[in-house]
Amino acid sequence: EDQVTQSPEALRLQEGESSSLNCSYTVSGLRGLFWYRQDPGKGPEFLFTLYSAGEEKEKERLKATLTKKESFLHITAPKPEDSATYLCAVQTSQGGSEKLVFGKGTKLTVNP
Amino acid sequence: ETGVTQTPRHLVMGMTNKKSLKCEQHLGHNAMYWYKQSAKKPLELMFVYNFKEQTENNSVPSRFSPECPNSSHLFLHLHTLQPEDSALYLCASSQVEGHGEETQYFGPGTRLLVL
């Protein structure tokens, strides 16, 4: 069964304190790995898609990386506005290409 | 704004009511989805429509009834719901071409409370 596990469940950082969020996955056929950001009471906002091991993508203070078993979302010098829940999802080739399997998310709080 | 709108944003209903959630996408996509998001649980895929045809129903109770009249509009009809159905209901859309990136873009959600 396809599975996505995110850790930690919650993370508190001071402004400027860099860290990483982890997403480990077990899937039968990875088509892509997605990172989303979700603010309270809102829908997930798309951040990145990664397709193959070794791939990296960056956007402002965020950098996503991918290996054969996990992905990391690195946050460099975070600001309070980076506080949100970060969701990881994998797109699998089994059961239809439209299917995304989500993790429970990591709730990030950045204190000023 | 992601190009996916949902109405209403908030809904309170009794267990005997009938209501409908509406989703509209302005992205020209050919696939639309309904997800349920409950506290402490991952997003759960409920229904998938690809080219207006339902391609997936993840064992969702019959008290939830989807409708997709065209590739831009998606409805979720609700009747005789239970309190445990209270959650954030999210609509998403994507362009399905059978290869490569199929990023799903989400609407803001409808917060549903069943009393």
Side-chain angles (χ1 to χ4, degrees), chain A residues 28-43:
Chain A
S28 52
L30 181 70
R31 292 273 304 263
L33 185 141
F34 299 81
W35 282 99
Y36 288 85
R37 169 194 169 127
Q38 187 174 24
D39 293 300
K42 296 187 177 181

PDB file of all heavy atoms in Angstrom, chain A residues 28-43:
ATOM      1  N   SER A  28       4.508   2.199  -5.096  1.00  0.00           N
ATOM      2  CA  SER A  28       4.795   1.164  -6.094  1.00  0.00           C
ATOM      3  C   SER A  28       5.370   1.740  -7.370  1.00  0.00           C
ATOM      4  O   SER A  28       6.106   1.078  -8.069  1.00  0.00           O
ATOM      5  CB  SER A  28       3.514   0.383  -6.390  1.00  0.00           C
ATOM      6  OG  SER A  28       2.472   1.286  -6.708  1.00  0.00           O
ATOM      7  N   GLY A  29       5.075   2.959  -7.661  1.00  0.00           N
ATOM      8  CA  GLY A  29       5.624   3.556  -8.876  1.00  0.00           C
ATOM      9  C   GLY A  29       5.511   5.063  -8.796  1.00  0.00           C
ATOM     10  O   GLY A  29       4.449   5.620  -9.028  1.00  0.00           O
ATOM     11  N   LEU A  30       6.611   5.738  -8.454  1.00  0.00           N
ATOM     12  CA  LEU A  30       6.548   7.182  -8.224  1.00  0.00           C
ATOM     13  C   LEU A  30       6.491   7.929  -9.546  1.00  0.00           C
ATOM     14  O   LEU A  30       7.379   7.788 -10.392  1.00  0.00           O
ATOM     15  CB  LEU A  30       7.767   7.627  -7.413  1.00  0.00           C
ATOM     16  CG  LEU A  30       7.818   9.127  -7.074  1.00  0.00           C
ATOM     17  CD1 LEU A  30       6.735   9.463  -6.063  1.00  0.00           C
ATOM     18  CD2 LEU A  30       9.192   9.511  -6.536  1.00  0.00           C
ATOM     19  N   ARG A  31       5.454   8.738  -9.721  1.00  0.00           N
ATOM     20  CA  ARG A  31       5.359   9.601 -10.902  1.00  0.00           C
ATOM     21  C   ARG A  31       5.826  11.014 -10.578  1.00  0.00           C
ATOM     22  O   ARG A  31       6.267  11.741 -11.444  1.00  0.00           O
ATOM     23  CB  ARG A  31       3.913   9.646 -11.401  1.00  0.00           C
ATOM     24  CG  ARG A  31       3.403   8.350 -11.971  1.00  0.00           C
ATOM     25  CD  ARG A  31       3.730   8.239 -13.439  1.00  0.00           C
ATOM     26  NE  ARG A  31       3.229   9.351 -14.204  1.00  0.00           N
ATOM     27  CZ  ARG A  31       2.095   9.344 -14.880  1.00  0.00           C
ATOM     28  NH1 ARG A  31       1.317   8.286 -14.829  1.00  0.00           N
ATOM     29  NH2 ARG A  31       1.731  10.386 -15.587  1.00  0.00           N
ATOM     30  N   GLY A  32       5.674  11.402  -9.311  1.00  0.00           N
ATOM     31  CA  GLY A  32       6.098  12.731  -8.903  1.00  0.00           C
ATOM     32  C   GLY A  32       5.859  12.915  -7.421  1.00  0.00           C
ATOM     33  O   GLY A  32       5.026  12.225  -6.833  1.00  0.00           O
ATOM     34  N   LEU A  33       6.617  13.839  -6.816  1.00  0.00           N
ATOM     35  CA  LEU A  33       6.433  14.170  -5.406  1.00  0.00           C
ATOM     36  C   LEU A  33       6.157  15.657  -5.315  1.00  0.00           C
ATOM     37  O   LEU A  33       6.860  16.467  -5.937  1.00  0.00           O
ATOM     38  CB  LEU A  33       7.664  13.789  -4.582  1.00  0.00           C
ATOM     39  CG  LEU A  33       7.517  13.983  -3.067  1.00  0.00           C
ATOM     40  CD1 LEU A  33       8.192  12.858  -2.294  1.00  0.00           C
ATOM     41  CD2 LEU A  33       8.023  15.336  -2.608  1.00  0.00           C
ATOM     42  N   PHE A  34       5.125  16.009  -4.575  1.00  0.00           N
ATOM     43  CA  PHE A  34       4.648  17.391  -4.516  1.00  0.00           C
ATOM     44  C   PHE A  34       4.765  17.927  -3.102  1.00  0.00           C
ATOM     45  O   PHE A  34       4.493  17.222  -2.122  1.00  0.00           O
ATOM     46  CB  PHE A  34       3.177  17.459  -4.945  1.00  0.00           C
ATOM     47  CG  PHE A  34       2.929  16.997  -6.353  1.00  0.00           C
ATOM     48  CD1 PHE A  34       2.835  15.653  -6.649  1.00  0.00           C
ATOM     49  CD2 PHE A  34       2.779  17.906  -7.380  1.00  0.00           C
ATOM     50  CE1 PHE A  34       2.617  15.211  -7.945  1.00  0.00           C
ATOM     51  CE2 PHE A  34       2.550  17.482  -8.680  1.00  0.00           C
ATOM     52  CZ  PHE A  34       2.465  16.130  -8.956  1.00  0.00           C
ATOM     53  N   TRP A  35       5.126  19.195  -3.002  1.00  0.00           N
ATOM     54  CA  TRP A  35       5.076  19.917  -1.732  1.00  0.00           C
ATOM     55  C   TRP A  35       4.035  21.033  -1.859  1.00  0.00           C
ATOM     56  O   TRP A  35       3.996  21.769  -2.858  1.00  0.00           O
ATOM     57  CB  TRP A  35       6.428  20.521  -1.382  1.00  0.00           C
ATOM     58  CG  TRP A  35       7.421  19.536  -0.826  1.00  0.00           C
ATOM     59  CD1 TRP A  35       8.427  18.908  -1.496  1.00  0.00           C
ATOM     60  CD2 TRP A  35       7.502  19.088   0.532  1.00  0.00           C
ATOM     61  NE1 TRP A  35       9.129  18.084  -0.642  1.00  0.00           N
ATOM     62  CE2 TRP A  35       8.588  18.182   0.610  1.00  0.00           C
ATOM     63  CE3 TRP A  35       6.771  19.353   1.701  1.00  0.00           C
ATOM     64  CZ2 TRP A  35       8.966  17.554   1.804  1.00  0.00           C
ATOM     65  CZ3 TRP A  35       7.142  18.736   2.876  1.00  0.00           C
ATOM     66  CH2 TRP A  35       8.226  17.836   2.927  1.00  0.00           C
ATOM     67  N   TYR A  36       3.208  21.125  -0.807  1.00  0.00           N
ATOM     68  CA  TYR A  36       2.207  22.179  -0.718  1.00  0.00           C
ATOM     69  C   TYR A  36       2.373  22.893   0.613  1.00  0.00           C
ATOM     70  O   TYR A  36       2.813  22.311   1.606  1.00  0.00           O
ATOM     71  CB  TYR A  36       0.785  21.614  -0.771  1.00  0.00           C
ATOM     72  CG  TYR A  36       0.328  21.083  -2.108  1.00  0.00           C
ATOM     73  CD1 TYR A  36       0.616  19.776  -2.492  1.00  0.00           C
ATOM     74  CD2 TYR A  36      -0.412  21.875  -2.976  1.00  0.00           C
ATOM     75  CE1 TYR A  36       0.174  19.285  -3.718  1.00  0.00           C
ATOM     76  CE2 TYR A  36      -0.860  21.395  -4.197  1.00  0.00           C
ATOM     77  CZ  TYR A  36      -0.560  20.096  -4.561  1.00  0.00           C
ATOM     78  OH  TYR A  36      -1.011  19.614  -5.762  1.00  0.00           O
ATOM     79  N   ARG A  37       1.936  24.130   0.635  1.00  0.00           N
ATOM     80  CA  ARG A  37       1.847  24.904   1.875  1.00  0.00           C
ATOM     81  C   ARG A  37       0.369  25.161   2.142  1.00  0.00           C
ATOM     82  O   ARG A  37      -0.386  25.519   1.224  1.00  0.00           O
ATOM     83  CB  ARG A  37       2.584  26.236   1.699  1.00  0.00           C
ATOM     84  CG  ARG A  37       2.342  27.221   2.805  1.00  0.00           C
ATOM     85  CD  ARG A  37       2.779  28.609   2.452  1.00  0.00           C
ATOM     86  NE  ARG A  37       2.289  29.538   3.460  1.00  0.00           N
ATOM     87  CZ  ARG A  37       3.060  30.384   4.109  1.00  0.00           C
ATOM     88  NH1 ARG A  37       4.361  30.454   3.867  1.00  0.00           N
ATOM     89  NH2 ARG A  37       2.531  31.204   5.011  1.00  0.00           N
ATOM     90  N   GLN A  38      -0.057  24.996   3.396  1.00  0.00           N
ATOM     91  CA  GLN A  38      -1.454  25.252   3.744  1.00  0.00           C
ATOM     92  C   GLN A  38      -1.530  26.162   4.959  1.00  0.00           C
ATOM     93  O   GLN A  38      -1.029  25.829   6.034  1.00  0.00           O
ATOM     94  CB  GLN A  38      -2.216  23.949   4.010  1.00  0.00           C
ATOM     95  CG  GLN A  38      -3.709  24.174   4.209  1.00  0.00           C
ATOM     96  CD  GLN A  38      -4.497  22.884   4.320  1.00  0.00           C
ATOM     97  OE1 GLN A  38      -3.961  21.841   4.689  1.00  0.00           O
ATOM     98  NE2 GLN A  38      -5.779  22.933   3.999  1.00  0.00           N
ATOM     99  N   ASP A  39      -2.189  27.299   4.786  1.00  0.00           N
ATOM    100  CA  ASP A  39      -2.453  28.212   5.895  1.00  0.00           C
ATOM    101  C   ASP A  39      -3.789  27.845   6.528  1.00  0.00           C
ATOM    102  O   ASP A  39      -4.657  27.265   5.863  1.00  0.00           O
ATOM    103  CB  ASP A  39      -2.472  29.659   5.388  1.00  0.00           C
ATOM    104  CG  ASP A  39      -1.101  30.103   4.926  1.00  0.00           C
ATOM    105  OD1 ASP A  39      -0.177  30.094   5.769  1.00  0.00           O
ATOM    106  OD2 ASP A  39      -0.932  30.420   3.743  1.00  0.00           O
ATOM    107  N   PRO A  40      -3.971  28.183   7.805  1.00  0.00           N
ATOM    108  CA  PRO A  40      -5.218  27.798   8.496  1.00  0.00           C
ATOM    109  C   PRO A  40      -6.463  28.270   7.759  1.00  0.00           C
ATOM    110  O   PRO A  40      -6.548  29.427   7.340  1.00  0.00           O
ATOM    111  CB  PRO A  40      -5.077  28.489   9.859  1.00  0.00           C
ATOM    112  CG  PRO A  40      -3.605  28.632  10.051  1.00  0.00           C
ATOM    113  CD  PRO A  40      -3.032  28.890   8.695  1.00  0.00           C
ATOM    114  N   GLY A  41      -7.425  27.368   7.574  1.00  0.00           N
ATOM    115  CA  GLY A  41      -8.690  27.723   6.946  1.00  0.00           C
ATOM    116  C   GLY A  41      -8.618  27.910   5.447  1.00  0.00           C
ATOM    117  O   GLY A  41      -9.591  28.361   4.828  1.00  0.00           O
ATOM    118  N   LYS A  42      -7.489  27.558   4.838  1.00  0.00           N
ATOM    119  CA  LYS A  42      -7.326  27.736   3.392  1.00  0.00           C
ATOM    120  C   LYS A  42      -6.961  26.422   2.720  1.00  0.00           C
ATOM    121  O   LYS A  42      -6.604  25.451   3.373  1.00  0.00           O
ATOM    122  CB  LYS A  42      -6.259  28.781   3.107  1.00  0.00           C
ATOM    123  CG  LYS A  42      -6.615  30.173   3.601  1.00  0.00           C
ATOM    124  CD  LYS A  42      -5.594  31.190   3.129  1.00  0.00           C
ATOM    125  CE  LYS A  42      -5.993  32.593   3.556  1.00  0.00           C
ATOM    126  NZ  LYS A  42      -5.025  33.620   3.080  1.00  0.00           N
ATOM    127  N   GLY A  43      -7.049  26.414   1.400  1.00  0.00           N
ATOM    128  CA  GLY A  43      -6.658  25.240   0.651  1.00  0.00           C
ATOM    129  C   GLY A  43      -5.156  25.173   0.469  1.00  0.00           C
ATOM    130  O   GLY A  43      -4.456  26.185   0.588  1.00  0.00           O
TER     131      GLY A  43
END
